[in-house]
């Protein structure tokens, strides 16, 4: 069983930066697909970024491309989301997800992931 714990959320002004971390335990996730999703109040959970496995080219939602970067630290069994040039519309609860059998075409689909963190709030003020 993989347990995921997110950290690093908070409040930042528009144009600022924030980095989230997702620490995994229970299994080594270096060969897992790892992703970040977000959910704003009253909205569905949407894809932000994913990396299928260590060394794979990351995939990003169009809305965050060029501003967000997903990365892994296998020694720490941790995945990060570095967020720059934040906008008020980036405000949401951010969730980390993991799966060891997902196919590339399904990386953006939340229902394809078996393991989820509890989420961390990111608030961007204007």
């Amino acid at each position: 069983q993989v347990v995921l714990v997110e950290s690093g959320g908070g409040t930042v002004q528009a144009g600022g930066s924030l980095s989230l971390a997702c620490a995994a335990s229970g299994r080594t996730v270096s060969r897992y697909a790892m992703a970040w999703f977000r959910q704003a109040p009253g909205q569905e959970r949407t894809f932000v970024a994913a990396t299928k496995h260590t060394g794979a080219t990351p995939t990003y939602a169009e809305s965050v491309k060029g501003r967000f970067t997903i990365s892994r630290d296998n020694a720490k069994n941790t995945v990060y989301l570095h967020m720059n040039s934040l906008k008020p519309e980036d405000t949401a609860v951010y969730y980390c997800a993991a799966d060891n059998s997902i196919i590339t075409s399904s990386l953006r689909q939340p229902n394809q992931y078996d393991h989820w963190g509890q989420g961390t709030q990111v608030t961007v003020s204007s």
Side-chain angles (χ1 to χ4, degrees):
Q1 180 72 8
V2 176
V3 177
L4 304 174
V5 179
E6 301 98 335
S7 62
T11 300
V12 63
Q13 288 190 335
S17 300
L18 208 57
S19 290
L20 307 181
C22 172
S25 61
R27 296 280 177 87
T28 299
V29 295
S30 61
R31 299 183 67 83
Y32 277 58
M34 302 295 296
W36 288 94
F37 290 81
R38 65 188 182 186
Q39 188 167 18
Q43 298 186 20
E44 294 184 348
R45 193 168 298 188
T46 59
F47 173 77
V48 175
T51 170
K52 189 161 185 278
H53 53 73
T54 299
T57 301
T59 300
Y60 296 97
E62 284 300 318
S63 59
V64 307
K65 197 173 290 185
R67 299 188 298 122
F68 290 12
T69 302
I70 186 171
S71 64
R72 295 177 179 250
D73 184 338
N74 289 333
K76 296 182 178 180
N77 217 29
T78 298
V79 174
Y80 301 94
L81 184 68
H82 305 286
M83 305 182 292
N84 296 318
S85 302
L86 283 161
K87 305 175 182 179
E89 51 263 43
D90 294 318
T91 295
V93 177
Y94 283 70
Y95 295 91
C96 176
D99 198 276
N100 66 347
S101 62
I102 198 168
I103 60 175
T104 301
S105 60
S106 297
L107 283 172
R108 298 171 183 261
Q109 301 174 24
N111 60 0
Q112 297 296 309
Y113 290 82
D114 284 341
H115 309 285
W116 289 87
Q118 83 288 350
T120 186
Q121 176 71 46
V122 172
T123 302
V124 184
S125 60
S126 56

